Amino acid sequence: LGSHGGGSHTSLKNLWQVVASVLSPARAGHQPETKEEVAQMRAALCKSARRHLERDYATYVNEEIEHHPQLAMLGGSPSRLQQIRAFLRIRFSDKGALDFDVAGGIDTFWHQLYFCFRCGYIEEATELVESVRDGIMAGDVHAANVSSLSDYIREWQEKGELSSSNQAMVRLDGERILREQDRSSFGKNQYRILIYTILCADRHLAENVLSDQYLFTNIEDFLWFKLVLVREGQLTTLTSSSYKHEEPHRLAELQQQLAQYPATYYTRDGKEPLLYAILLLLTLQFEACVQYLATFTPSNMQGEGTFPFAIEAVHLCIIFSYYGAFHLGTDIRSRGSMLCSDVVHDYGQNFAVQDPATAFEYYCLAAEVKGGGYVSIIQTQGHLLRELLSQSRAFGTLLGAGGSGSGAILSKLKPDKQQRQDIIVSAAVGCVQNAQFHEAMELFMHAGKPYNALQIINKRYADAVSAGGDGDEAQEVSLDDLEQRGNAALAELEGQ
């Protein structure tokens, strides 16, 4: 999130980079439907969020090396593992000589392994283990003559988790180390348990790791660790070392932990509001992110109705909908009074009078965000079309001249003729229900439904004749106009 070195990466550009990273596994225009598909997509987005944090940390490592070249002592064309070691020279510059520089130096194997994981350098982590295989095998794991640590890492990387038997082996060794560990040994055992926890995702080991303030000093490291543990795509339970069923770590747990503190806790007292939006993105709280950005007001502008990130909220909402993010059910809080579709609709209203074409484009998008299937979306778009026509009277701009196939903005937004017709008919029905008969007649004619228009015309004509002269003016009905409209409807009906 930008706090590794005290600087800020919380620009709007960074926000959109996080969006692109997190949504990278999603398919544009695809809405996950089955439970399995939703679970798989959740897991993929969690992994993508974690990898974003890994890339961000790798960038931080390289920046630290650039800022402290003398301490880093990094030569030309270094490997990633050499970069990690250069970073450790900087980080532990006051601890003395390290083992990879001087024989008998401070043992940093588990530190190196952790920072490889933290940067997403899993291949380098495997190579590191294999390079020191003979002296690094964990006690119980080695004694049982099963897979080596490097095999565990490969399995974890390829499958996202270890097999039940391998989880149990790693967990047992982790618990043994907890009983025997010496916390004064320069964090060696803490990092060892941290690696074991990453591999087996055991709750007891995780609680121990999280209780160690030495390991996690910022929200990024904590968030990364929790995302590593999440098994969102796993539908079965794990078996702990105490032979009790243990639920996998879920995304909702992480969200609930973060929700214990107000937004200001994550934004440096409101000085960097985008930090919280990014936190919500990385934990897949898409609706909450939209609503936070749409309603955020700087402390010095309270009460002025100023929302500096409202435009970002609108377009994030559209993107989340287009990529099916709202269908994943990843937000712990249910939708509040301000639905995400309302954010888009309200923004579109700003253009209703001056630029009805742009307004209608946002109205159509608002209906897509609201969702509910084809019929529901068509009905919503028809309702919004009627609303906009009442506001702007821009029939020509929105519908064009002639039938539904020659519309202006509508035909551009909805190239499918049947879809256009369905939207216009839906709007016309709404007009009839709201006694907007003049608009209903025009819309039915635009939709190529002269019979429906003729029904309204005949009813209006009959009512006007029955009411007599006094009723004509009150109802603002022109018999001549109705006759002309009726003849036009009959002519089109005969031509069909």
Side-chain angles (χ1 to χ4, degrees), residues 348-365 385 388-389 391-399 408-413:
Q349 277 189 319
N350 296 322
F351 304 95
V353 177
Q354 299 297 328
D355 188 359
T358 298
F360 187 60
E361 185 169 2
Y362 280 104
Y363 282 9
C364 286
L365 290 168
L385 174 60
L388 185 57
L389 287 170
Q391 292 172 322
S392 67
R393 312 303 301 173
F395 279 80
T397 300
L398 298 174
L399 305 178
I409 187 63
L410 182 60
S411 64
K412 293 178 183 177
L413 295 177

Side-chain angles (χ1 to χ4, degrees), residues 326-346:
F326 291 143
H327 292 257
L328 298 178
T330 50
D331 279 67
I332 55 171
R333 24 193 132 170
S334 60
R335 294 188 179 190
S337 58
M338 184 188 64
L339 297 173
C340 289
S341 59
D342 292 340
V343 174
V344 182
H345 171 265
D346 293 348

Side-chain angles (χ1 to χ4, degrees), residues 441 454 456-458 460-462 464-465 477-491:
M441 289 184 284
L454 196 58
I456 298 174
I457 293 167
N458 289 338
R460 296 286 285 161
Y461 194 92
V465 171
V477 172
S478 167
L479 294 179
D480 289 340
D481 179 63
L482 288 174
E483 288 179 3
Q484 291 177 7
R485 289 178 179 273
N487 290 333
L490 282 171

Side-chain angles (χ1 to χ4, degrees), residues 168-390:
M169 291 301 300
V170 173
R171 186 184 300 112
L172 285 171
D173 201 49
E175 291 177 346
R176 178 188 63 79
I177 298 167
L178 275 182
R179 293 191 298 269
E180 302 173 357
Q181 73 171 327
D182 174 13
R183 286 182 176 270
S184 64
S185 61
F186 185 49
K188 180 174 111 176
N189 285 332
Q190 289 96 311
Y191 278 99
R192 185 176 183 178
I193 294 171
L194 176 52
I195 294 297
Y196 284 4
T197 307
I198 290 171
L199 293 175
C200 70
D202 179 69
R203 286 185 176 275
H204 179 241
L205 293 181
E207 289 172 3
N208 179 273
V209 166
L210 290 170
S211 68
D212 193 331
Q213 297 180 354
Y214 176 79
L215 292 175
F216 301 113
T217 59
N218 56 63
I219 185 64
E220 292 94 337
D221 291 342
F222 168 80
L223 192 58
W224 174 82
F225 176 67
K226 296 292 287 187
L227 287 172
V228 166
L229 300 182
V230 165
R231 300 291 186 267
E232 201 60 37
Q234 187 182 70
L235 302 178
T236 58
T237 57
L238 298 171
T239 303
S240 70
S241 56
S242 57
Y243 301 102
K244 294 179 181 179
H245 287 293
E246 183 177 281
E247 280 294 322
H249 294 265
R250 296 298 190 194
L251 186 63
E253 295 178 52
L254 171 57
Q255 295 174 350
Q256 288 165 352
Q257 283 183 294
L258 297 174
Q260 293 175 5
Y261 302 95
T264 52
Y265 178 80
Y266 303 102
T267 61
R268 297 172 187 167
D269 295 324
K271 296 176 183 177
E272 296 189 52
L274 291 178
L275 279 174
Y276 188 59
I278 290 175
L279 183 71
L280 294 172
L281 283 173
L282 290 170
T283 51
L284 312 192
Q285 299 183 74
F286 302 112
E287 293 175 15
C289 179
V290 168
Q291 295 186 16
Y292 169 74
L293 290 172
T295 58
F296 172 79
T297 303
S299 56
N300 61 343
M301 296 182 181
Q302 295 288 341
E304 298 182 16
T306 301
F307 306 108
F309 305 123
I311 295 178
E312 281 70 31
V314 169
H315 295 93
L316 280 174
C317 190
I318 294 167
I319 288 173
F320 293 152
S321 173
Y322 188 57
Y323 281 90
F326 291 143
H327 292 257
L328 298 178
T330 50
D331 279 67
I332 55 171
R333 24 193 132 170
S334 60
R335 294 188 179 190
S337 58
M338 184 188 64
L339 297 173
C340 289
S341 59
D342 292 340
V343 174
V344 182
H345 171 265
D346 293 348
Y347 181 71
Q349 277 189 319
N350 296 322
F351 304 95
V353 177
Q354 299 297 328
D355 188 359
T358 298
F360 187 60
E361 185 169 2
Y362 280 104
Y363 282 9
C364 286
L365 290 168
E368 297 281 354
V369 171
K370 187 175 182 181
Y374 178 83
V375 173
S376 177
I377 291 173
I378 290 296
Q379 289 176 343
T380 302
Q381 290 176 338
H383 167 76
L384 295 175
L385 174 60
R386 183 183 69 81
E387 175 188 311
L388 185 57
L389 287 170
S390 298

Side-chain angles (χ1 to χ4, degrees), residues 4 46-62 84 114-122 156-157 198 220-221 224-225 227-228 282:
H4 295 297
C46 283
K47 186 175 183 180
S48 188
R50 188 192 89 209
R51 285 182 169 173
H52 175 84
L53 288 168
E54 290 168 354
R55 289 191 296 270
D56 188 58
Y57 199 85
T59 299
Y60 164 67
V61 166
N62 288 325
I84 295 297
Y114 165 72
F115 286 108
C116 280
F117 269 81
R118 184 64 182 85
C119 291
Y121 299 161
I122 307 304
W156 177 85
Q157 171 72 350
I198 290 171
E220 292 94 337
D221 291 342
W224 174 82
F225 176 67
L227 287 172
V228 166
L282 290 170

Side-chain angles (χ1 to χ4, degrees), residues 30 93 112 119 126-127 189 196 246 305 316 396 410 421 434 475 486:
H30 177 71
S93 59
Q112 293 181 63
C119 291
T126 306
E127 293 173 359
N189 285 332
Y196 284 4
E246 183 177 281
L316 280 174
L410 182 60
Q421 188 181 73
N434 288 271
Q475 298 179 54

